[in-house]
Amino acid sequence: MQPSQPNQPTPPFNFPAARRLREALGMAHGHVAYGMRASYGLAYITPDTIAAWERGLAAPTAAELTALAGTLWCSPGELMGAATTLREHRIARGLAPEDVARGSGVEIQAYLHMEETNSWRGNDRQSAALAEVLQLPLPDFVTVTGRADALAELLRSAVTSRWQGFVRPVGKILPVQKRHLEDVLQQLHADYQSRMVRTLSWGGGTGADASGTAGRDFLDRILEHFWAQIRGAGTGGG
């Protein structure tokens, strides 16, 4: 019988991947269950448990997923769906909370609270260290540190006014080289202004209405446009 677990959500589980990885190793459900019992002390794991996971009828807890990954000789991230929270990114990397807290320069109790509430409160230096420890791509870094809304608002202001005035504020949110950020903001500004002018030039009586619609659509999807421009920059500052 499975022991009671802390009241924490289970990580996103990619059950087709679990089945593919098991079959690639030539293991039966019983082999996996035995490995989890013998190597990780999870005495309640049975072949039926593994089968239920692979059918999407149940999902492993964080500890069970880590043990399953070890038994299948893969990383926890290979068994997970897209990680969206601080805790999920940590689990995907196979790290203990203490590892992330130490690596990012945060007290363990403070880190555990931030993970529990999914509310990162580290300073700029700690945030950059977190990105390195968890190997976060820029979009994930912004989401995990709770900066997506602030970034989107700055980008909307940058493309609708003088983009030069927003290089520094955006740079405080993102660890991206200044020159690269300047190029991206300038291009976003040009794309937005070009879209507005092009829409107006279509005429046909739609004029300002069509322009306004095109502008709102661009601004609503500003983060998508931004990531498309900045893709490949990495999280290294400079």
Side-chain angles (χ1 to χ4, degrees):
M1 180 177 178
Q2 179 176 343
S4 61
Q5 297 289 337
N7 186 25
Q8 292 183 332
T10 58
F13 183 59
N14 187 343
F15 59 90
R19 178 177 179 177
R20 287 196 303 270
L21 287 163
R22 175 183 59 78
E23 292 177 342
L25 292 171
M27 300 173 73
H29 292 146
H31 297 142
V32 179
Y34 174 79
M36 294 180 68
R37 291 196 303 268
S39 299
Y40 296 92
L42 302 180
Y44 55 88
I45 298 294
T46 68
D48 287 342
T49 306
I50 307 303
W53 289 346
E54 290 186 0
R55 294 173 62 191
L57 300 178
T61 65
E64 292 165 348
L65 186 142
T66 299
L68 178 62
T71 304
L72 295 177
W73 293 86
C74 67
S75 70
E78 293 178 79
L79 295 174
M80 291 176 63
T84 58
T85 67
L86 181 59
R87 178 171 176 266
E88 289 169 3
H89 280 285
R90 173 181 61 75
I91 293 170
R93 295 298 174 191
L95 298 171
E98 293 80 4
D99 297 329
V100 180
R102 183 171 55 252
S104 57
V106 177
E107 292 292 332
I108 181 60
Q109 291 303 321
Y111 173 78
L112 288 172
H113 179 70
M114 288 188 281
E115 189 172 283
E116 181 182 346
T117 59
N118 193 34
S119 179
W120 177 252
R121 290 290 182 264
N123 58 33
D124 290 347
R125 178 183 57 78
Q126 292 167 333
S127 296
L130 178 76
E132 184 174 348
V133 171
L134 295 181
Q135 302 175 41
L136 295 173
L138 280 172
D140 291 336
F141 170 77
V142 169
T143 299
V144 165
T145 55
R147 303 176 178 190
D149 289 343
L151 175 60
E153 190 59 35
L154 286 173
L155 294 175
R156 292 187 188 102
S157 296
V159 300
T160 55
S161 58
R162 289 179 54 83
W163 63 266
Q164 295 89 339
F166 294 90
V167 174
R168 185 177 180 84
V170 173
K172 289 183 68 65
I173 289 179
L174 282 177
V176 177
Q177 292 182 354
K178 181 181 177 182
R179 181 171 299 178
H180 185 80
L181 194 53
E182 290 174 339
D183 292 342
V184 169
L185 291 183
Q186 184 176 19
Q187 186 60 53
L188 276 180
H189 182 272
D191 289 348
Y192 175 78
Q193 299 299 330
S194 174
R195 179 171 302 207
M196 297 291 284
V197 171
R198 187 169 62 248
T199 307
L200 283 171
S201 70
W202 289 343
T206 58
D209 288 342
S211 177
T213 300
R216 284 191 298 273
D217 178 68
F218 189 92
L219 295 179
D220 287 344
R221 300 173 59 193
I222 190 67
L223 286 178
E224 292 179 44
H225 297 300
F226 180 71
W227 298 132
Q229 290 288 342
I230 210 166
R231 187 173 293 123
T235 54

